[in-house]
Amino acid sequence: VVKKLGGLHKFMNWDKPILTDSGGFQVFSLAGLRKIKEEGVHFNSHIDGRKIFMGPEESMQIQSNLASTIAMAFDECPPHPATREYMQNSVDRTTRWLRRCKAEMERLNALPDTINKEQMLFGIDQGGTFEDIRINHARAIRELDLDGYAIGGLAVGETHEQMYHILDVTVPELPQDKPIYLMGVGTPQNILEAVERGVDFFDCVYPARNGRHGHAYTNHGKMNLQNKKYELDDRPIEVGCGCPACRHYSRAYIRHLLKAKEMLGLRLMVTHNLYFYNSMMEEIRDAIAADEIKKNPYEGCNVVKIPKFGNTLCYDVRANDYFMGDYNMIKKIENDLNRRLFSEMFISLNDLRDEFGLCHDKELGDDIGWNVDHPIEFTITTMLADNNEPCLVVNYVIAPRYDYRNLH
């Protein structure tokens, strides 16, 4: 169906990268229903019991039909704990499967009716917590010169310390000029630890699954909005957060939705958590960029790292003027003014300038602004001011427009 409709990107109207998994994790999760052989895996559907076969070629064909940006190689994710003998046999078979995946992917990408002829293939390093098996497997798969490399088989029961140690010894064995992907991880702390060790990207169910259970990730830790203490709390999930949930709704209202089992409550929680994770990754990228520039300065550098708290020079692009504030203050103003929109229906440009402490626009400032259909949303970047002082730059995603109520 998806192939007939042009692949996943066209099917779901998404123009950014898509990664599809191979089915290898299902081999792990359906342990009681499957039988692993050299040709692939025979298993029974957990839904209706019908027999299904999946091998490297079948996995590549399915992912080619989906036309994702990145296809993952078909592997076995061994259980934890496992014996050394089992682990070594599993890893050896995964290596043989990877060669078959690569050959099949090359064949599929050359076919005239393939939707994405540049589909990338990532291999997966396995080996559990056996350091030598991990290292040897990384060395074996890097010889295949794939588009990227993943580290799988972690976060399946081992301790965090064991996971970090495996990253310490495995990541240096993988090509440093290719993206490295840690599968199924993790908490914000896990991500920070892994990035420090050289991992580039991640996938995890935590933001969505925990959000559906009422758990919100914030810069001050995880919150459980099911708790009664939030029943009358009119603050957003996190003050200063720019996500739609925090801009428009209170903890009390979202808690009410969760308790009433309204679908909107789940959507708002997941939206917030995904925004938090994406913002965290953006901050990590900024920090990496700033650190790299510090180590390798070059002329014309315009990457400036500014802390989120503290009195900082800020620049309003539209006003072409400066004010003092910080990142969290700007996001709080955005959040508070959008709350006012629901009662006042219109926030003028001069209302915003009052919050920033800037002079009014005497010509249009009271007539143009934002309404509930076009709320306030800032982009915040950095630059060096004319005096070389680090500066936050505030621009508007939606430009202020005329208040329809004043049009005659």
Side-chain angles (χ1 to χ4, degrees):
V1 171
V2 174
K3 182 177 183 180
K4 290 178 180 177
L5 291 171
L8 283 174
H9 287 91
K10 186 176 180 181
F11 184 55
M12 59 194 288
N13 192 27
W14 179 255
D15 63 356
K16 294 176 175 60
I18 297 176
L19 181 150
T20 48
D21 205 356
S22 64
F25 187 77
Q26 283 61 46
V27 172
F28 166 77
S29 62
L30 298 175
L33 300 171
R34 48 81 165 155
K35 182 176 293 186
I36 302 173
K37 295 186 176 181
E38 184 63 31
E39 64 268 23
V41 181
H42 298 266
F43 59 96
N44 295 330
S45 168
H46 67 289
I47 297 174
D48 57 14
R50 65 189 176 91
K51 294 183 182 298
I52 301 173
F53 172 76
M54 178 76 75
E57 290 78 15
E58 288 76 12
S59 176
M60 293 301 98
Q61 290 159 17
I62 292 170
Q63 293 183 80
S64 179
N65 288 340
L66 296 175
S68 57
T69 313
I70 300 169
M72 297 306 300
F74 188 67
D75 67 328
E76 181 192 357
C77 178
H80 176 82
T83 65
R84 168 174 283 276
E85 180 184 12
Y86 182 96
M87 187 64 70
Q88 188 63 66
N89 289 336
S90 172
V91 168
D92 290 343
R93 181 169 49 242
T94 288
T95 305
R96 294 191 294 271
W97 284 354
L98 177 56
R99 293 192 180 97
R100 289 166 56 186
C101 287
K102 183 181 180 183
E104 182 65 6
M105 178 64 72
E106 290 172 350
R107 185 187 74 83
L108 291 166
N109 283 350
L111 295 178
D113 64 339
T114 295
I115 299 170
N116 180 11
K117 295 181 173 60
E118 297 181 353
Q119 189 172 34
M120 294 182 282
L121 175 64
F122 279 27
I124 304 173
D125 175 81
Q126 292 286 359
T129 55
F130 294 99
E131 178 180 324
D132 58 329
I133 297 178
R134 283 280 183 183
I135 292 172
N136 290 333
H137 193 220
R139 290 172 178 173
I141 65 177
R142 75 187 184 193
E143 297 302 319
L144 296 177
D145 191 28
L146 303 169
D147 299 298
Y149 294 86
I151 299 172
L154 294 176
V156 293
E158 79 286 351
T159 66
H160 287 169
E161 289 71 22
Q162 288 175 311
M163 176 171 70
Y164 300 149
H165 175 67
I166 291 301
L167 293 177
D168 284 332
V169 300
T170 304
V171 172
E173 301 294 338
L174 295 171
Q176 299 304 297
D177 60 341
K178 300 289 181 73
I180 296 176
Y181 160 37
L182 180 55
M183 305 182 75
V185 176
T187 67
Q189 184 63 36
N190 292 156
I191 290 173
L192 290 170
E193 293 281 355
V195 168
E196 183 71 23
R197 290 163 170 82
V199 176
D200 299 303
F201 64 98
F202 308 82
D203 80 289
C204 190
V205 300
Y206 280 169
R209 186 179 66 192
N210 288 356
R212 292 195 299 269
H213 287 89
H215 295 167
Y217 289 95
T218 76
N219 286 302
H220 307 288
K222 193 166 67 172
M223 299 168 52
N224 183 358
L225 260 69
Q226 303 271 13
N227 289 346
K228 188 173 177 61
K229 67 181 179 180
Y230 300 118
E231 184 176 28
L232 300 176
D233 195 333
D234 64 355
R235 294 173 295 174
I237 295 173
E238 181 164 30
V239 175
C241 174
C243 81
C246 288
R247 289 208 312 264
H248 301 304
Y249 304 104
S250 67
R251 298 173 181 180
Y253 179 64
I254 295 174
R255 179 183 183 275
H256 154 72
L257 293 174
L258 294 171
K259 289 295 185 180
K261 302 191 183 305
E262 288 281 357
M263 184 62 70
L264 178 59
L266 309 185
R267 293 183 64 185
L268 292 175
M269 290 296 297
V270 172
T271 296
H272 168 82
N273 283 347
L274 291 175
Y275 187 96
F276 172 86
Y277 266 69
N278 279 315
S279 297
M280 179 181 70
M281 296 306 297
E282 183 178 5
E283 291 173 20
I284 290 171
R285 290 192 295 272
D286 288 346
I288 291 172
D291 186 55
E292 285 301 312
I293 288 165
K294 184 177 180 181
K295 292 176 183 175
N296 302 292
Y298 60 92
E299 189 174 351
C301 164
N302 62 356
V303 178
V304 183
K305 185 63 178 175
I306 298 176
K308 285 197 168 185
F309 298 95
N311 217 23
T312 302
L313 187 65
C314 304
Y315 176 69
D316 184 313
V317 172
R318 184 179 180 88
N320 190 25
D321 202 357
Y322 293 91
F323 62 97
M324 299 303 293
D326 61 32
Y327 180 94
N328 280 358
M329 183 203 81
I330 296 168
K331 299 305 288 187
K332 184 177 187 303
I333 289 172
E334 178 186 65
N335 185 49
D336 290 345
L337 290 179
N338 279 321
R339 283 177 178 278
R340 282 174 52 188
L341 274 177
F342 280 88
S343 57
E344 300 176 23
M345 304 303 291
F346 182 79
I347 296 294
S348 73
L349 177 61
N350 282 341
D351 290 332
L352 172 60
R353 292 197 175 179
D354 284 339
E355 297 293 331
F356 285 166
L358 294 172
C359 295
H360 280 195
D361 180 331
K362 295 180 180 179
E363 184 177 351
L364 296 173
D366 291 325
D367 297 325
I368 62 173
W370 298 266
N371 57 41
V372 291
D373 296 321
H374 302 96
I376 300 168
E377 185 176 354
F378 300 134
T379 60
I380 304 175
T381 55
T382 60
M383 71 174 189
L384 290 177
D386 293 339
N387 62 357
N388 282 330
E389 184 178 346
C391 175
L392 290 173
V393 180
V394 182
N395 213 331
Y396 309 146
V397 175
I398 298 175
R401 59 191 66 194
Y402 279 99
D403 178 8
Y404 60 85
R405 296 173 304 173
N406 294 334
L407 297 177
H408 301 290

